[in-house]
Amino acid sequence: MSLLEFDEVDKYFGETHVLKDVDLNVEEGEVCVIIGPSGSGKSTLLRCANRLEEIQGGEIRLEGQSISAADADINRLRQRIGMVFQSFNLFPHKTARENVTLAPTKVKGLKEGDAERRADELLDRVGLGAQSNSYPNQLSGGQQQRVAIARALAMDPHVMLFDEVTSALDPELVGEVLDVMHDLAEEGMTMLVVTHEMGFAREVGDRIVLMADGKVVEDSPPEVFFENPKTDRGKQFLSKLL
């Protein structure tokens, strides 16, 4: 049983068929990197994985339990799925520590002192221990994104979803966020990552999944995909990057 499974998933926006019979399994401890042109369905796939978008066909399962079923306990499932977005979505009136402690205290019922200690550990882990009392407007974009990662980790998720988390950052700030993601991968965190950062994909990814026109068109180890793609679509995609 894979940790996260997409089984013939279909998604429509109106009459537009955005995801077309997508089959994808993510194993525990695996870093699965999803790449592809704009509009290929990459971000939509991630949003379907924690029911931010509803699917119209197929099934999505986390640890064998259906996420997409009508009677699924979505709030409980979402505690096991952390997600980091392109925009930081931090509460501007709360400090870094307060942003990280909010969900564990409100959703999981963690005592405030325990939540604060956990938040400080996580902020240290992403290199922001000294900024725990800073507000978002006092932090750089890269620092805010690292707070967002710490906030997601505070729920002790079983899988982390990253949706183009560096695309809104200035180029010199991208590396500090990718370094945190690299560390998480080395620690064995299961990750599903949508990114345009091909260097990260090649170095950290266990699998490269190429999407185009709402379909998975190639699924290969990075050394295969970047050296000798199996599909013409993969070769075409790479030719525009390299």
Side-chain angles (χ1 to χ4, degrees):
M1 182 182 66
S2 301
L3 191 142
L4 183 63
E5 301 169 279
F6 298 85
D7 185 5
E8 297 185 347
V9 170
D10 277 298
K11 170 64 184 174
Y12 290 84
F13 288 122
E15 296 183 358
T16 304
H17 200 175
V18 182
L19 297 176
K20 304 172 184 176
D21 294 323
V22 172
D23 285 313
L24 180 65
N25 293 343
V26 183
E27 306 301 325
E28 185 174 358
E30 188 173 46
V31 179
C32 182
V33 180
I34 303 177
I35 62 175
S38 296
S40 58
K42 307 182 301 295
S43 294
T44 299
L45 186 69
L46 257 62
R47 293 176 64 85
C48 290
N50 66 353
R51 289 278 292 270
L52 290 175
E53 299 287 352
E54 299 289 343
I55 62 174
Q56 279 75 51
E59 187 176 36
I60 304 173
R61 294 181 293 273
L62 176 66
E63 298 170 315
Q65 183 178 1
S66 178
I67 292 173
S68 49
D71 61 350
D73 186 342
I74 303 306
N75 290 329
R76 184 169 175 272
L77 286 166
R78 282 180 179 155
Q79 291 181 36
R80 291 145 58 189
I81 304 175
M83 187 161 184
V84 185
F85 301 86
Q86 178 179 335
S87 55
F88 319 128
N89 297 325
L90 299 177
F91 290 104
H93 62 291
K94 292 185 177 293
T95 65
R97 181 191 286 120
E98 289 169 340
N99 268 281
V100 176
T101 60
L102 186 63
T105 54
K106 298 295 185 183
V107 178
K108 297 184 77 172
L110 202 63
K111 292 181 180 179
E112 188 172 336
D114 293 336
E116 288 180 349
R117 280 189 290 275
R118 176 67 172 149
D120 288 342
E121 290 173 3
L122 290 170
L123 289 169
D124 276 335
R125 185 174 175 184
V126 300
L128 292 175
Q131 282 79 32
S132 60
N133 290 314
S134 297
Y135 290 90
N137 66 1
Q138 298 172 314
L139 301 172
S140 70
Q143 289 173 325
Q144 290 185 63
Q145 194 60 290
R146 284 186 280 156
V147 173
I149 293 173
R151 177 180 59 185
L153 291 172
M155 297 298 286
D156 297 316
H158 297 193
V159 59
M160 285 282 286
L161 312 177
F162 293 91
D163 187 11
E164 298 189 19
V165 296
T166 60
S167 59
L169 299 178
D170 292 333
E172 65 269 21
L173 301 177
V174 168
E176 62 189 50
V177 175
L178 294 180
D179 285 346
V180 171
M181 294 169 66
H182 186 284
D183 290 344
L184 287 175
E186 288 198 331
E187 292 167 10
M189 174 62 73
T190 307
M191 297 162 62
L192 190 56
V193 182
V194 171
T195 185
H196 295 293
E197 301 290 339
M198 293 300 107
F200 173 86
R202 188 169 193 159
E203 181 183 357
V204 180
D206 295 304
R207 287 162 58 202
I208 306 298
V209 173
L210 174 64
M211 291 189 68
D213 303 318
K215 299 179 180 179
V216 172
V217 295
E218 184 156 351
D219 184 346
S220 303
E223 60 272 16
V224 173
F225 181 80
F226 287 105
E227 296 298 332
N228 187 24
K230 294 183 290 188
T231 64
D232 290 340
R233 189 66 181 86
K235 294 171 184 175
Q236 180 188 8
F237 180 77
L238 279 182
S239 70
K240 296 179 179 179
L241 296 176
L242 304 177

